[in-house]
Amino acid sequence: MQILRLLCLCLACLLPCGRVHGQGHLLDKPVTELCLNCICEAMSGCNATAICTNPEKGICGIFRITWAYWVDAGKLTIDGDQPDSEDAFINCANDPHCAANSVQNYMKKFNQDCNDDGEMDCHDYARIHRLGAYGCKGEMPYKYLSTFEDCIENYADQGFE
Ligand SMILES: *[C@@H]1O[C@H](CO)[C@@H](O)[C@H](O)[C@H]1NC(C)=O
């Protein structure tokens, strides 16, 4: 327990500590840091270089978040941005802290047991993140799934869960 808390602290330190603004409600955080880490590993190798891989759809940042995902997650913004300003989405998606909070909000909103195993856990979050809230029971891309599973297994081998 103690060591897990330490790990969380360390991971949290990797993220810039800018303040992130929601639209008037407190952020709940259903997703563990470990789980966030494995999702970004699968999406981008946790490469925090600010980038949009698809200029039209706007698939941006460490979690490869789309514009629609960002909207569903409550249009979080980095300091100084307004939710409806032109760059609000790109700036948030490319900021690891704002992006991670967007994932938290999205999961809080679309929480479901996608793999029908009777539990709501990181495996479900990984599906919801990659396939979307309404398609999360679908087929997972092989590379995404294997990178994600390897990451989870690697943590389990080290005694984390
Ligand atoms: C991160 O992504 C950038 C942009 O795609 C790339 O140039 C860089 O080599 C990547 N870094 C790593 C460690 O893969």
Side-chain angles (χ1 to χ4, degrees):
M1 202 60 219
Q2 197 62 21
I3 193 151
L4 189 63
R5 192 168 304 138
L6 253 175
L7 175 83
C8 291
L9 274 177
C10 290
L11 292 175
C13 293
L14 296 175
L15 306 172
C17 293
R19 279 200 300 148
V20 175
H21 300 282
Q23 288 182 320
H25 45 254
L26 278 175
L27 287 168
D28 254 352
K29 302 197 170 179
V31 189
T32 64
E33 291 289 335
L34 189 157
C35 179
L36 283 177
N37 234 37
C38 288
I39 291 176
C40 85
E41 194 63 46
M43 293 303 286
S44 71
C46 290
N47 184 331
T49 306
I51 192 174
C52 296
T53 57
N54 181 328
E56 271 147 51
K57 282 197 203 156
I59 301 175
C60 304
I62 198 166
F63 292 103
R64 300 290 189 257
I65 285 174
T66 62
W67 183 80
Y69 185 109
W70 174 77
V71 171
D72 282 340
K75 292 187 175 180
L76 300 181
T77 61
I78 60 168
D79 247 353
D81 272 1
Q82 294 301 314
D84 295 318
S85 74
E86 200 181 332
D87 294 333
F89 155 66
I90 285 180
N91 288 343
C92 178
N94 278 326
D95 176 80
H97 190 68
C98 193
N101 280 333
S102 300
V103 174
Q104 296 284 9
N105 270 7
Y106 195 87
M107 296 311 161
K108 188 181 147 201
K109 188 168 174 183
F110 295 114
N111 225 323
Q112 57 190 302
D113 181 12
C114 301
N115 59 6
D116 291 320
D117 68 350
E119 289 180 45
M120 259 307 314
D121 58 21
C122 191
H123 296 274
D124 301 299
Y125 296 137
R127 289 184 152 274
I128 294 166
H129 188 78
R130 186 63 179 78
L131 301 174
Y134 302 101
C136 78
K137 298 190 180 203
E139 198 72 25
M140 291 269 268
Y142 174 77
K143 178 131 194 314
Y144 174 79
L145 187 60
S146 64
T147 307
F148 171 77
E149 299 284 359
D150 284 351
C151 177
I152 292 287
E153 236 169 76
N154 192 34
Y155 276 123
D157 288 348
Q158 294 173 49
F160 302 115
E161 48 175 64

